[in-house]
Amino acid sequence: MHFDNREKIVALLKDLKENRPGISVIISGVTDIVQQCMEEAGLSRIHSLEYSLGTWGKTKGYPTSRYLKR
């Protein structure tokens, strides 16, 4: 799913909190903003955090992508 504004994200988080569907939810974004959205929805701190460090090592044979350095 793609959400294009903060209000939609907060509404989804509130709905998930209320209905507890029993699934994991992953939100990609700027950590501080994601945490603010969670607080607005009445949720606690971010449970897990993962950082992307780019592509390392040998990339020969990888699919061509504008994100991979050659």
Side-chain angles (χ1 to χ4, degrees):
M1 297 181 124
H2 172 78
F3 293 88
D4 57 4
N5 68 55
R6 181 187 198 108
E7 291 78 24
K8 289 181 183 178
I9 295 169
V10 172
L12 172 68
L13 291 172
K14 286 179 180 179
D15 183 56
L16 291 170
K17 179 184 177 193
E18 182 179 318
N19 294 315
R20 302 262 182 198
I23 60 171
S24 295
V25 176
I26 298 171
I27 301 174
S28 297
V30 177
T31 306
D32 294 340
I33 295 172
V34 171
Q35 183 62 55
Q36 290 170 3
C37 290
M38 290 178 62
E39 290 170 4
E40 287 176 36
L43 296 167
S44 59
R45 297 184 48 168
I46 295 172
H47 179 274
S48 300
L49 188 61
E50 187 173 313
Y51 293 98
S52 173
L53 299 176
T55 304
W56 294 70
K58 296 180 182 179
T59 59
K60 186 176 181 179
Y62 280 15
T64 303
S65 171
R66 63 187 172 127
Y67 300 110
L68 297 176
K69 294 182 180 176
R70 294 281 176 179

Short mmCIF file of all heavy atoms in Angstrom, two decimals:
data_model
loop_
_atom_site.label_atom_id
_atom_site.label_comp_id
_atom_site.label_asym_id
_atom_site.label_seq_id
_atom_site.Cartn_x
_atom_site.Cartn_y
_atom_site.Cartn_z
N MET A 1 0.84 -1.18 0.00
CA MET A 1 0.00 0.00 0.00
C MET A 1 0.88 1.23 0.00
O MET A 1 1.96 1.23 0.55
CB MET A 1 -0.88 0.04 1.24
CG MET A 1 -1.87 -1.08 1.35
SD MET A 1 -2.85 -0.88 2.84
CE MET A 1 -4.44 -0.89 2.10
N HIS A 2 0.37 2.26 -0.59
CA HIS A 2 1.10 3.53 -0.65
C HIS A 2 0.22 4.60 -0.02
O HIS A 2 -0.94 4.76 -0.38
CB HIS A 2 1.41 3.88 -2.11
CG HIS A 2 1.99 5.24 -2.27
ND1 HIS A 2 3.31 5.50 -1.98
CD2 HIS A 2 1.45 6.39 -2.67
CE1 HIS A 2 3.55 6.78 -2.22
NE2 HIS A 2 2.43 7.34 -2.63
N PHE A 3 0.78 5.31 0.92
CA PHE A 3 0.06 6.40 1.57
C PHE A 3 0.77 7.69 1.24
O PHE A 3 1.98 7.80 1.41
CB PHE A 3 -0.01 6.18 3.08
CG PHE A 3 -0.84 4.99 3.44
CD1 PHE A 3 -0.28 3.73 3.52
CD2 PHE A 3 -2.19 5.13 3.69
CE1 PHE A 3 -1.05 2.64 3.84
CE2 PHE A 3 -2.98 4.05 4.00
CZ PHE A 3 -2.40 2.79 4.08
N ASP A 4 0.02 8.67 0.78
CA ASP A 4 0.64 9.90 0.33
C ASP A 4 0.52 11.07 1.30
O ASP A 4 0.92 12.18 0.99
CB ASP A 4 0.10 10.29 -1.05
CG ASP A 4 -1.42 10.44 -1.06
OD1 ASP A 4 -2.04 10.31 0.00
OD2 ASP A 4 -1.97 10.66 -2.14
N ASN A 5 -0.05 10.82 2.48
CA ASN A 5 -0.05 11.89 3.47
C ASN A 5 -0.12 11.33 4.89
O ASN A 5 -0.53 10.20 5.12
CB ASN A 5 -1.16 12.92 3.21
CG ASN A 5 -2.55 12.36 3.44
OD1 ASN A 5 -2.85 11.83 4.50
ND2 ASN A 5 -3.40 12.46 2.43
N ARG A 6 0.29 12.14 5.80
CA ARG A 6 0.41 11.75 7.19
C ARG A 6 -0.92 11.34 7.82
O ARG A 6 -0.99 10.40 8.59
CB ARG A 6 1.01 12.94 7.94
CG ARG A 6 1.24 12.73 9.38
CD ARG A 6 1.68 14.06 10.02
NE ARG A 6 2.30 13.83 11.27
CZ ARG A 6 3.58 13.96 11.50
NH1 ARG A 6 4.38 14.35 10.54
NH2 ARG A 6 4.08 13.71 12.68
N GLU A 7 -1.99 12.03 7.47
CA GLU A 7 -3.30 11.74 8.06
C GLU A 7 -3.75 10.32 7.75
O GLU A 7 -4.32 9.64 8.59
CB GLU A 7 -4.36 12.75 7.59
CG GLU A 7 -4.16 14.16 8.12
CD GLU A 7 -3.05 14.93 7.40
OE1 GLU A 7 -2.73 14.61 6.23
OE2 GLU A 7 -2.48 15.84 8.02
N LYS A 8 -3.49 9.86 6.53
CA LYS A 8 -3.87 8.50 6.15
C LYS A 8 -3.06 7.46 6.94
O LYS A 8 -3.60 6.43 7.33
CB LYS A 8 -3.65 8.28 4.65
CG LYS A 8 -4.64 9.02 3.78
CD LYS A 8 -4.35 8.73 2.31
CE LYS A 8 -5.26 9.51 1.39
NZ LYS A 8 -4.94 9.25 -0.03
N ILE A 9 -1.80 7.74 7.16
CA ILE A 9 -0.95 6.82 7.93
C ILE A 9 -1.44 6.73 9.37
O ILE A 9 -1.59 5.65 9.92
CB ILE A 9 0.52 7.25 7.88
CG1 ILE A 9 1.05 7.15 6.45
CG2 ILE A 9 1.38 6.41 8.83
CD1 ILE A 9 2.39 7.80 6.23
N VAL A 10 -1.69 7.87 9.97
CA VAL A 10 -2.16 7.90 11.36
C VAL A 10 -3.51 7.18 11.47
O VAL A 10 -3.73 6.41 12.41
CB VAL A 10 -2.23 9.35 11.91
CG1 VAL A 10 -2.88 9.39 13.27
CG2 VAL A 10 -0.83 9.96 11.96
N ALA A 11 -4.41 7.41 10.51
CA ALA A 11 -5.72 6.74 10.53
C ALA A 11 -5.56 5.22 10.43
O ALA A 11 -6.23 4.47 11.14
CB ALA A 11 -6.59 7.26 9.39
N LEU A 12 -4.65 4.76 9.57
CA LEU A 12 -4.40 3.32 9.45
C LEU A 12 -3.86 2.76 10.76
O LEU A 12 -4.31 1.71 11.23
CB LEU A 12 -3.42 3.04 8.32
CG LEU A 12 -2.94 1.58 8.25
CD1 LEU A 12 -4.08 0.66 7.85
CD2 LEU A 12 -1.77 1.44 7.32
N LEU A 13 -2.90 3.45 11.36
CA LEU A 13 -2.33 2.98 12.62
C LEU A 13 -3.37 2.92 13.73
O LEU A 13 -3.40 1.96 14.51
CB LEU A 13 -1.15 3.88 13.03
CG LEU A 13 0.10 3.80 12.14
CD1 LEU A 13 1.10 4.86 12.55
CD2 LEU A 13 0.71 2.42 12.20
N LYS A 14 -4.25 3.91 13.77
CA LYS A 14 -5.33 3.89 14.77
C LYS A 14 -6.26 2.71 14.54
O LYS A 14 -6.66 2.03 15.49
CB LYS A 14 -6.13 5.20 14.72
CG LYS A 14 -5.41 6.38 15.33
CD LYS A 14 -6.25 7.63 15.23
CE LYS A 14 -5.54 8.81 15.84
NZ LYS A 14 -6.32 10.06 15.73
N ASP A 15 -6.59 2.44 13.27
CA ASP A 15 -7.45 1.32 12.93
C ASP A 15 -6.79 -0.01 13.32
O ASP A 15 -7.44 -0.89 13.89
CB ASP A 15 -7.77 1.35 11.44
CG ASP A 15 -8.72 0.24 11.04
OD1 ASP A 15 -9.81 0.16 11.63
OD2 ASP A 15 -8.36 -0.55 10.16
N LEU A 16 -5.51 -0.14 13.02
CA LEU A 16 -4.80 -1.37 13.38
C LEU A 16 -4.73 -1.55 14.90
O LEU A 16 -4.87 -2.66 15.40
CB LEU A 16 -3.38 -1.35 12.79
CG LEU A 16 -3.30 -1.48 11.27
CD1 LEU A 16 -1.88 -1.21 10.79
CD2 LEU A 16 -3.77 -2.86 10.82
N LYS A 17 -4.53 -0.45 15.61
CA LYS A 17 -4.48 -0.53 17.07
C LYS A 17 -5.83 -0.99 17.62
O LYS A 17 -5.90 -1.83 18.52
CB LYS A 17 -4.10 0.83 17.66
CG LYS A 17 -4.05 0.81 19.17
CD LYS A 17 -3.77 2.18 19.74
CE LYS A 17 -3.82 2.10 21.25
NZ LYS A 17 -3.87 3.41 21.87
N GLU A 18 -6.91 -0.45 17.09
CA GLU A 18 -8.25 -0.76 17.58
C GLU A 18 -8.67 -2.19 17.23
O GLU A 18 -9.23 -2.90 18.05
CB GLU A 18 -9.25 0.23 16.98
CG GLU A 18 -10.67 0.02 17.46
CD GLU A 18 -11.61 1.04 16.86
OE1 GLU A 18 -11.24 2.22 16.78
OE2 GLU A 18 -12.72 0.64 16.46
N ASN A 19 -8.39 -2.62 16.01
CA ASN A 19 -8.88 -3.91 15.54
C ASN A 19 -7.93 -5.08 15.76
O ASN A 19 -8.34 -6.23 15.64
CB ASN A 19 -9.26 -3.82 14.06
CG ASN A 19 -10.43 -2.90 13.86
OD1 ASN A 19 -11.41 -2.97 14.60
ND2 ASN A 19 -10.33 -2.01 12.90
N ARG A 20 -6.66 -4.82 16.03
CA ARG A 20 -5.66 -5.86 16.31
C ARG A 20 -5.78 -7.06 15.38
O ARG A 20 -6.15 -8.15 15.80
CB ARG A 20 -5.80 -6.34 17.75
CG ARG A 20 -5.66 -5.28 18.79
CD ARG A 20 -4.29 -5.28 19.33
NE ARG A 20 -4.18 -4.26 20.37
CZ ARG A 20 -3.04 -3.80 20.78
NH1 ARG A 20 -1.95 -4.26 20.26
NH2 ARG A 20 -2.99 -2.88 21.69
N PRO A 21 -5.43 -6.89 14.09
CA PRO A 21 -5.60 -7.99 13.14
C PRO A 21 -4.60 -9.13 13.30
O PRO A 21 -4.73 -10.15 12.65
CB PRO A 21 -5.43 -7.30 11.78
CG PRO A 21 -4.52 -6.16 12.07
CD PRO A 21 -4.91 -5.69 13.46
N GLY A 22 -3.60 -8.99 14.15
CA GLY A 22 -2.64 -10.06 14.37
C GLY A 22 -1.60 -10.19 13.28
O GLY A 22 -1.11 -11.28 13.01
N ILE A 23 -1.25 -9.08 12.64
CA ILE A 23 -0.24 -9.10 11.59
C ILE A 23 0.87 -8.12 11.94
O ILE A 23 0.68 -7.20 12.73
CB ILE A 23 -0.84 -8.73 10.21
CG1 ILE A 23 -1.45 -7.32 10.25
CG2 ILE A 23 -1.86 -9.76 9.77
CD1 ILE A 23 -1.88 -6.78 8.90
N SER A 24 2.02 -8.32 11.34
CA SER A 24 3.12 -7.37 11.48
C SER A 24 2.96 -6.28 10.43
O SER A 24 2.55 -6.56 9.31
CB SER A 24 4.46 -8.07 11.27
OG SER A 24 4.68 -9.02 12.27
N VAL A 25 3.30 -5.07 10.81
CA VAL A 25 3.19 -3.93 9.90
C VAL A 25 4.56 -3.28 9.80
O VAL A 25 5.19 -3.01 10.81
CB VAL A 25 2.16 -2.91 10.41
CG1 VAL A 25 2.11 -1.69 9.51
CG2 VAL A 25 0.78 -3.55 10.51
N ILE A 26 5.00 -3.03 8.57
CA ILE A 26 6.28 -2.38 8.35
C ILE A 26 6.02 -1.03 7.71
O ILE A 26 5.30 -0.93 6.71
CB ILE A 26 7.17 -3.22 7.42
CG1 ILE A 26 7.47 -4.57 8.07
CG2 ILE A 26 8.46 -2.47 7.09
CD1 ILE A 26 8.15 -5.54 7.16
N ILE A 27 6.58 0.01 8.31
CA ILE A 27 6.45 1.36 7.77
C ILE A 27 7.83 1.84 7.40
O ILE A 27 8.74 1.85 8.23
CB ILE A 27 5.83 2.31 8.82
CG1 ILE A 27 4.45 1.81 9.24
CG2 ILE A 27 5.76 3.73 8.26
CD1 ILE A 27 3.85 2.61 10.37
N SER A 28 8.01 2.24 6.15
CA SER A 28 9.28 2.79 5.69
C SER A 28 9.17 4.29 5.69
O SER A 28 8.20 4.85 5.20
CB SER A 28 9.59 2.31 4.27
OG SER A 28 9.73 0.92 4.23
N GLY A 29 10.17 4.95 6.24
CA GLY A 29 10.15 6.40 6.24
C GLY A 29 11.20 6.96 7.17
O GLY A 29 12.01 6.23 7.75
N VAL A 30 11.19 8.26 7.30
CA VAL A 30 12.11 8.94 8.21
C VAL A 30 11.72 8.57 9.64
O VAL A 30 10.55 8.73 10.02
CB VAL A 30 12.06 10.47 7.99
CG1 VAL A 30 12.96 11.19 8.97
CG2 VAL A 30 12.42 10.81 6.56
N THR A 31 12.66 8.07 10.40
CA THR A 31 12.40 7.52 11.73
C THR A 31 11.63 8.48 12.62
O THR A 31 10.65 8.09 13.26
CB THR A 31 13.72 7.12 12.41
OG1 THR A 31 14.43 6.24 11.53
CG2 THR A 31 13.47 6.43 13.72
N ASP A 32 12.05 9.73 12.67
CA ASP A 32 11.39 10.70 13.54
C ASP A 32 9.93 10.91 13.15
O ASP A 32 9.06 11.03 14.02
CB ASP A 32 12.11 12.05 13.52
CG ASP A 32 13.51 11.98 14.12
OD1 ASP A 32 13.78 11.02 14.88
OD2 ASP A 32 14.32 12.87 13.83
N ILE A 33 9.65 10.96 11.87
CA ILE A 33 8.28 11.18 11.40
C ILE A 33 7.42 9.95 11.66
O ILE A 33 6.28 10.06 12.09
CB ILE A 33 8.27 11.57 9.92
CG1 ILE A 33 8.97 12.93 9.75
CG2 ILE A 33 6.85 11.61 9.36
CD1 ILE A 33 9.19 13.36 8.32
N VAL A 34 7.98 8.76 11.42
CA VAL A 34 7.24 7.52 11.71
C VAL A 34 6.90 7.46 13.19
O VAL A 34 5.77 7.14 13.57
CB VAL A 34 8.05 6.28 11.27
CG1 VAL A 34 7.39 5.00 11.77
CG2 VAL A 34 8.21 6.25 9.76
N GLN A 35 7.85 7.80 14.07
CA GLN A 35 7.60 7.79 15.51
C GLN A 35 6.51 8.79 15.87
O GLN A 35 5.64 8.51 16.69
CB GLN A 35 8.88 8.08 16.29
CG GLN A 35 8.70 8.01 17.79
CD GLN A 35 8.28 6.64 18.27
OE1 GLN A 35 8.93 5.66 17.98
NE2 GLN A 35 7.18 6.56 18.99
N GLN A 36 6.51 9.96 15.26
CA GLN A 36 5.47 10.96 15.52
C GLN A 36 4.10 10.43 15.12
O GLN A 36 3.12 10.63 15.85
CB GLN A 36 5.78 12.26 14.78
CG GLN A 36 6.96 13.02 15.33
CD GLN A 36 7.38 14.17 14.41
OE1 GLN A 36 6.75 14.43 13.39
NE2 GLN A 36 8.45 14.85 14.78
N CYS A 37 4.02 9.77 13.97
CA CYS A 37 2.75 9.20 13.52
C CYS A 37 2.26 8.14 14.50
O CYS A 37 1.07 8.07 14.81
CB CYS A 37 2.90 8.58 12.12
SG CYS A 37 3.13 9.78 10.80
N MET A 38 3.18 7.33 15.00
CA MET A 38 2.80 6.30 15.97
C MET A 38 2.26 6.94 17.25
O MET A 38 1.27 6.49 17.81
CB MET A 38 4.00 5.40 16.27
CG MET A 38 4.36 4.51 15.09
SD MET A 38 5.79 3.48 15.39
CE MET A 38 5.22 2.47 16.75
N GLU A 39 2.92 7.98 17.71
CA GLU A 39 2.46 8.67 18.92
C GLU A 39 1.09 9.30 18.71
O GLU A 39 0.23 9.24 19.59
CB GLU A 39 3.49 9.72 19.34
CG GLU A 39 4.76 9.09 19.89
CD GLU A 39 5.88 10.09 20.09
OE1 GLU A 39 5.67 11.31 19.89
OE2 GLU A 39 7.00 9.64 20.46
N GLU A 40 0.86 9.88 17.53
CA GLU A 40 -0.45 10.47 17.22
C GLU A 40 -1.54 9.41 17.21
O GLU A 40 -2.69 9.69 17.54
CB GLU A 40 -0.41 11.18 15.86
CG GLU A 40 0.36 12.47 15.86
CD GLU A 40 0.45 13.09 14.48
OE1 GLU A 40 -0.53 12.99 13.71
OE2 GLU A 40 1.50 13.67 14.16
N ALA A 41 -1.17 8.18 16.85
CA ALA A 41 -2.14 7.08 16.80
C ALA A 41 -2.29 6.40 18.16
O ALA A 41 -3.09 5.48 18.31
CB ALA A 41 -1.70 6.05 15.76
N GLY A 42 -1.53 6.86 19.16
CA GLY A 42 -1.63 6.27 20.49
C GLY A 42 -0.81 5.02 20.68
O GLY A 42 -1.09 4.22 21.58
N LEU A 43 0.20 4.84 19.84
CA LEU A 43 1.07 3.67 19.96
C LEU A 43 2.37 4.03 20.66
O LEU A 43 2.72 5.20 20.77
CB LEU A 43 1.37 3.10 18.55
CG LEU A 43 0.15 2.58 17.80
CD1 LEU A 43 0.48 2.36 16.34
CD2 LEU A 43 -0.34 1.30 18.44
N SER A 44 3.09 3.01 21.10
CA SER A 44 4.35 3.26 21.81
C SER A 44 5.49 3.44 20.82
O SER A 44 5.28 3.68 19.63
CB SER A 44 4.63 2.10 22.76
OG SER A 44 4.72 0.89 22.02
N ARG A 45 6.69 3.27 21.31
CA ARG A 45 7.89 3.48 20.50
C ARG A 45 8.01 2.46 19.38
O ARG A 45 7.43 1.38 19.43
CB ARG A 45 9.12 3.39 21.39
CG ARG A 45 9.14 4.48 22.45
CD ARG A 45 10.39 4.42 23.22
NE ARG A 45 11.50 4.31 22.27
CZ ARG A 45 12.76 4.46 22.55
NH1 ARG A 45 13.11 4.70 23.77
NH2 ARG A 45 13.68 4.35 21.63
N ILE A 46 8.83 2.79 18.40
CA ILE A 46 9.14 1.88 17.30
C ILE A 46 9.74 0.60 17.88
O ILE A 46 10.63 0.65 18.72
CB ILE A 46 10.13 2.54 16.31
CG1 ILE A 46 9.47 3.74 15.64
CG2 ILE A 46 10.65 1.53 15.30
CD1 ILE A 46 10.42 4.56 14.78
N HIS A 47 9.24 -0.54 17.42
CA HIS A 47 9.70 -1.84 17.93
C HIS A 47 11.06 -2.22 17.37
O HIS A 47 11.96 -2.62 18.10
CB HIS A 47 8.67 -2.91 17.59
CG HIS A 47 9.04 -4.27 18.06
ND1 HIS A 47 9.83 -5.11 17.31
CD2 HIS A 47 8.75 -4.92 19.19
CE1 HIS A 47 10.00 -6.24 17.97
NE2 HIS A 47 9.36 -6.15 19.13
N SER A 48 11.22 -2.14 16.07
CA SER A 48 12.46 -2.53 15.41
C SER A 48 12.84 -1.48 14.38
O SER A 48 11.98 -0.82 13.80
CB SER A 48 12.30 -3.87 14.68
OG SER A 48 11.94 -4.88 15.59
N LEU A 49 14.12 -1.36 14.14
CA LEU A 49 14.61 -0.35 13.21
C LEU A 49 15.68 -0.98 12.34
O LEU A 49 16.54 -1.71 12.83
CB LEU A 49 15.19 0.82 14.00
CG LEU A 49 15.60 2.06 13.27
CD1 LEU A 49 14.40 2.69 12.58
CD2 LEU A 49 16.19 3.06 14.24
N GLU A 50 15.63 -0.72 11.05
CA GLU A 50 16.61 -1.27 10.13
C GLU A 50 17.11 -0.15 9.23
O GLU A 50 16.34 0.69 8.78
CB GLU A 50 15.96 -2.36 9.28
CG GLU A 50 16.93 -3.10 8.42
CD GLU A 50 16.28 -4.28 7.74
OE1 GLU A 50 15.57 -5.05 8.39
OE2 GLU A 50 16.50 -4.41 6.52
N TYR A 51 18.40 -0.15 8.98
CA TYR A 51 19.01 0.87 8.13
C TYR A 51 19.50 0.24 6.84
O TYR A 51 19.97 -0.90 6.83
CB TYR A 51 20.23 1.50 8.83
CG TYR A 51 19.88 2.32 10.03
CD1 TYR A 51 19.99 1.79 11.31
CD2 TYR A 51 19.43 3.62 9.90
CE1 TYR A 51 19.67 2.53 12.43
CE2 TYR A 51 19.11 4.38 11.01
CZ TYR A 51 19.24 3.83 12.27
OH TYR A 51 18.93 4.57 13.36
N SER A 52 19.41 0.97 5.76
CA SER A 52 19.97 0.53 4.49
C SER A 52 21.32 1.20 4.30
O SER A 52 21.45 2.41 4.41
CB SER A 52 19.04 0.92 3.33
OG SER A 52 19.68 0.62 2.11
N LEU A 53 22.34 0.39 4.05
CA LEU A 53 23.68 0.93 3.86
C LEU A 53 24.12 0.89 2.41
O LEU A 53 25.28 1.05 2.10
CB LEU A 53 24.67 0.13 4.71
CG LEU A 53 24.41 0.16 6.21
CD1 LEU A 53 25.39 -0.76 6.93
CD2 LEU A 53 24.51 1.57 6.75
N GLY A 54 23.18 0.64 1.51
CA GLY A 54 23.51 0.61 0.10
C GLY A 54 23.96 -0.77 -0.35
O GLY A 54 23.78 -1.76 0.34
N THR A 55 24.58 -0.83 -1.52
CA THR A 55 25.04 -2.09 -2.09
C THR A 55 26.55 -2.20 -1.92
O THR A 55 27.29 -1.29 -2.31
CB THR A 55 24.69 -2.15 -3.59
OG1 THR A 55 23.28 -1.95 -3.72
CG2 THR A 55 25.07 -3.47 -4.19
N TRP A 56 27.00 -3.29 -1.34
CA TRP A 56 28.42 -3.51 -1.09
C TRP A 56 28.88 -4.77 -1.80
O TRP A 56 28.09 -5.67 -2.05
CB TRP A 56 28.67 -3.68 0.41
CG TRP A 56 28.39 -2.44 1.19
CD1 TRP A 56 27.17 -1.88 1.44
CD2 TRP A 56 29.34 -1.60 1.81
NE1 TRP A 56 27.30 -0.75 2.18
CE2 TRP A 56 28.63 -0.56 2.43
CE3 TRP A 56 30.71 -1.63 1.92
CZ2 TRP A 56 29.26 0.46 3.14
CZ3 TRP A 56 31.33 -0.62 2.63
CH2 TRP A 56 30.62 0.41 3.23
N GLY A 57 30.16 -4.84 -2.09
CA GLY A 57 30.73 -6.05 -2.67
C GLY A 57 30.60 -6.10 -4.17
O GLY A 57 30.35 -5.11 -4.84
N LYS A 58 30.78 -7.30 -4.69
CA LYS A 58 30.74 -7.51 -6.14
C LYS A 58 29.30 -7.44 -6.63
O LYS A 58 28.44 -8.18 -6.16
CB LYS A 58 31.35 -8.85 -6.49
CG LYS A 58 32.82 -8.94 -6.13
CD LYS A 58 33.38 -10.30 -6.48
CE LYS A 58 34.84 -10.36 -6.06
NZ LYS A 58 35.43 -11.67 -6.36
N THR A 59 29.06 -6.56 -7.59
CA THR A 59 27.71 -6.39 -8.12
C THR A 59 27.59 -6.92 -9.54
O THR A 59 26.52 -6.84 -10.13
CB THR A 59 27.27 -4.92 -8.07
OG1 THR A 59 28.20 -4.15 -8.84
CG2 THR A 59 27.23 -4.40 -6.64
N LYS A 60 28.67 -7.46 -10.07
CA LYS A 60 28.63 -8.01 -11.43
C LYS A 60 27.63 -9.16 -11.46
O LYS A 60 27.63 -10.03 -10.61
CB LYS A 60 30.00 -8.50 -11.86
CG LYS A 60 30.03 -8.95 -13.30
CD LYS A 60 31.43 -9.34 -13.73
CE LYS A 60 31.38 -9.75 -15.19
NZ LYS A 60 32.69 -10.13 -15.68
N GLY A 61 26.75 -9.13 -12.44
CA GLY A 61 25.72 -10.17 -12.54
C GLY A 61 24.41 -9.77 -11.90
O GLY A 61 23.40 -10.45 -12.07
N TYR A 62 24.39 -8.68 -11.13
CA TYR A 62 23.14 -8.20 -10.55
C TYR A 62 22.27 -7.61 -11.66
O TYR A 62 22.78 -7.13 -12.66
CB TYR A 62 23.41 -7.11 -9.52
CG TYR A 62 23.85 -7.58 -8.17
CD1 TYR A 62 24.30 -8.87 -7.94
CD2 TYR A 62 23.84 -6.72 -7.08
CE1 TYR A 62 24.71 -9.28 -6.70
CE2 TYR A 62 24.25 -7.12 -5.84
CZ TYR A 62 24.69 -8.40 -5.65
OH TYR A 62 25.09 -8.82 -4.41
N PRO A 63 20.99 -7.59 -11.49
CA PRO A 63 20.12 -6.93 -12.48
C PRO A 63 20.49 -5.46 -12.60
O PRO A 63 20.88 -4.84 -11.63
CB PRO A 63 18.71 -7.07 -11.89
CG PRO A 63 18.81 -8.10 -10.84
CD PRO A 63 20.23 -8.15 -10.39
N THR A 64 20.39 -4.93 -13.79
CA THR A 64 20.68 -3.52 -14.00
C THR A 64 19.64 -2.67 -13.30
O THR A 64 18.45 -2.93 -13.40
CB THR A 64 20.68 -3.19 -15.50
OG1 THR A 64 21.62 -4.04 -16.14
CG2 THR A 64 21.05 -1.76 -15.75
N SER A 65 20.10 -1.73 -12.56
CA SER A 65 19.21 -0.84 -11.82
C SER A 65 19.85 0.51 -11.70
O SER A 65 21.07 0.63 -11.58
CB SER A 65 18.91 -1.42 -10.44
OG SER A 65 18.22 -0.48 -9.66
N ARG A 66 19.06 1.54 -11.68
CA ARG A 66 19.61 2.89 -11.52
C ARG A 66 20.15 3.08 -10.11
O ARG A 66 20.87 4.02 -9.84
CB ARG A 66 18.56 3.94 -11.84
CG ARG A 66 17.37 3.92 -10.93
CD ARG A 66 16.32 4.89 -11.43
NE ARG A 66 15.11 4.73 -10.65
CZ ARG A 66 14.51 5.73 -10.05
NH1 ARG A 66 14.96 6.94 -10.16
NH2 ARG A 66 13.42 5.51 -9.37
N TYR A 67 19.82 2.19 -9.18
CA TYR A 67 20.26 2.31 -7.81
C TYR A 67 21.59 1.62 -7.55
O TYR A 67 22.23 1.85 -6.55
CB TYR A 67 19.21 1.73 -6.85
CG TYR A 67 17.89 2.43 -6.97
CD1 TYR A 67 16.81 1.80 -7.53
CD2 TYR A 67 17.74 3.74 -6.53
CE1 TYR A 67 15.60 2.44 -7.65
CE2 TYR A 67 16.54 4.40 -6.65
CZ TYR A 67 15.47 3.74 -7.21
OH TYR A 67 14.28 4.38 -7.33
N LEU A 68 22.01 0.75 -8.45
CA LEU A 68 23.27 0.05 -8.28
C LEU A 68 24.39 0.79 -9.00
O LEU A 68 24.26 1.16 -10.15
CB LEU A 68 23.18 -1.38 -8.83
CG LEU A 68 22.20 -2.31 -8.15
CD1 LEU A 68 22.17 -3.64 -8.88
CD2 LEU A 68 22.58 -2.51 -6.70
N LYS A 69 25.49 0.99 -8.31
CA LYS A 69 26.64 1.66 -8.93
C LYS A 69 27.42 0.62 -9.72
O LYS A 69 27.62 -0.49 -9.28
CB LYS A 69 27.53 2.27 -7.86
CG LYS A 69 26.87 3.40 -7.12
CD LYS A 69 27.82 3.99 -6.11
CE LYS A 69 27.14 5.13 -5.38
NZ LYS A 69 27.97 5.68 -4.33
N ARG A 70 27.86 0.97 -10.87
CA ARG A 70 28.67 0.09 -11.71
C ARG A 70 30.07 0.62 -11.80
O ARG A 70 30.35 1.74 -11.77
CB ARG A 70 28.07 -0.02 -13.13
CG ARG A 70 26.74 -0.70 -13.12
CD ARG A 70 26.97 -2.16 -13.03
NE ARG A 70 25.68 -2.84 -12.92
CZ ARG A 70 25.57 -4.12 -12.84
NH1 ARG A 70 26.61 -4.86 -12.81
NH2 ARG A 70 24.42 -4.67 -12.72
#
